Amino acid sequence: MNADELARTRARALYDAREKREPIPPFTDEDPSLGMADGYAIQRELVTMLLADGDHVLGHKVGLTAAPMQRLLGVDSPDYGPVLASATYTDGDTVELDRFIAPKVEAEIVFVLGERLEGPGVTTERAREAVAAARAGLEIVDSRIEDWRIKLADTVADLASMGAVVLSERVVPLSELDPRLIGMVLTRDGALVDTGAGAAALGDPVAVVAWLANTLGENGVALNAGDLVMTGSLHAAVPMRAGDTFTAEFDRLGSVTVRVG
């Protein structure tokens, strides 16, 4: 089996795991040599399968933007995956727990692109010019890999562990914000769970956009006006349970809530 066929076979395994809600062993158990490039090859095949089902991509999520997570997986760079329309919710929605395998919630700053942005060579300053606005967001991360036993290639292949996204209705122009200084408080059923600040994401969430544009640009892909960019968790991911209500309150951006059914 050549590399392309192997990528398709592994993508099909992830596709089936998503459909059946049954996790699979890590690909890196079978082949410890798998790296980031192998993971993206599998991810591309998986996205092709999902788009063939009628889904479409609204933007990108960037993960591993916090130093502790990079150290955990032994990497020095973020990763990315698609934001799928079928997995996008609005403030106050109820998300059914049985849609996922082992979901966790993360609070993030979400940007909306105002113009096309294409790497390489994109600086943080150029990215700032291209971002139109920011929104409060909650990402539900999920792993189709058994017990979250992921290494880098596993999570990259698995859409960077994307589960779902919950977006605030409020949209704030970036010109009114310094994203580094945006504070966040996460509560579950009104009780404090964690706090964070924008600078947790690569030191500046706008730098996440620059990184993404340059990384995509290496493959001839650009960010376009209207694209969403999830800039990475501001705290440690929190497991979700049926009946939970999570609210992330952001300075300047307002709040966003998700209920777990």
Side-chain angles (χ1 to χ4, degrees):
M1 189 179 297
N2 63 35
D4 290 342
E5 292 170 336
L6 192 54
R8 283 192 290 272
T9 297
R10 287 170 169 157
R12 175 57 64 178
L14 284 171
Y15 180 93
D16 291 343
R18 290 169 60 88
E19 289 292 305
K20 298 175 182 177
R21 310 292 187 265
E22 296 177 358
I24 60 175
F27 298 130
T28 52
D29 277 3
E30 178 185 9
D31 185 355
S33 70
L34 289 177
M36 183 175 282
D38 302 297
Y40 282 122
I42 300 167
Q43 183 189 121
R44 286 191 294 271
E45 294 290 346
L46 178 55
V47 170
T48 297
M49 294 174 186
L50 296 171
L51 298 186
D53 288 342
D55 215 335
H56 62 279
V57 175
L58 300 180
H60 300 271
K61 64 145 291 183
V62 182
L64 305 179
T65 57
M69 284 304 298
Q70 291 185 7
R71 288 195 295 269
L72 181 65
L73 289 184
V75 299
D76 59 3
S77 174
D79 67 350
Y80 67 87
V83 174
L84 297 169
S86 65
T88 303
Y89 296 83
T90 57
D91 182 24
D93 279 352
T94 297
V95 177
E96 297 300 328
L97 190 67
D98 62 8
R99 171 178 181 153
F100 308 101
I101 295 174
K104 304 178 183 183
V105 67
E106 301 176 344
E108 306 189 12
I109 295 170
V110 185
F111 289 137
V112 183
L113 270 288
E115 60 186 70
R116 182 180 174 87
L117 186 65
E118 185 173 8
V122 174
T123 63
T124 300
E125 290 70 25
R126 173 67 190 102
R128 196 179 312 277
E129 294 171 356
V131 173
R135 304 170 73 170
L138 290 167
E139 181 182 356
I140 299 171
V141 293
D142 193 22
S143 183
R144 275 58 63 170
I145 304 299
E146 291 175 345
D147 302 321
W148 279 95
R149 291 191 298 112
I150 53 172
K151 294 183 179 177
L152 183 60
D154 301 306
T155 185
V156 169
D158 191 20
L159 307 185
S161 300
M162 164 61 76
V165 174
V166 186
L167 300 172
S168 68
E169 295 185 4
R170 184 179 182 186
V171 180
V172 181
L174 185 63
S175 59
E176 299 179 7
L177 305 168
D178 183 342
R180 300 172 305 163
L181 306 181
I182 293 175
M184 183 282 307
V185 173
L186 179 70
T187 60
R188 176 171 51 204
D189 301 328
L192 178 66
V193 175
D194 213 334
T195 62
L202 287 189
D204 183 347
V206 179
V208 176
V209 179
W211 175 88
L212 179 62
N214 288 327
T215 302
L216 292 175
E218 293 173 1
N219 296 312
V221 178
L223 295 171
N224 293 302
D227 281 359
L228 300 174
V229 178
M230 306 284 296
T231 59
S233 180
L234 305 182
H235 60 94
V238 180
M240 297 169 57
R241 305 168 304 201
D244 285 343
T245 297
F246 288 98
T247 298
E249 299 173 82
F250 291 80
D251 181 38
R252 306 296 298 277
L253 298 181
S255 65
V256 59
T257 295
V258 66
R259 296 175 174 83
V260 187

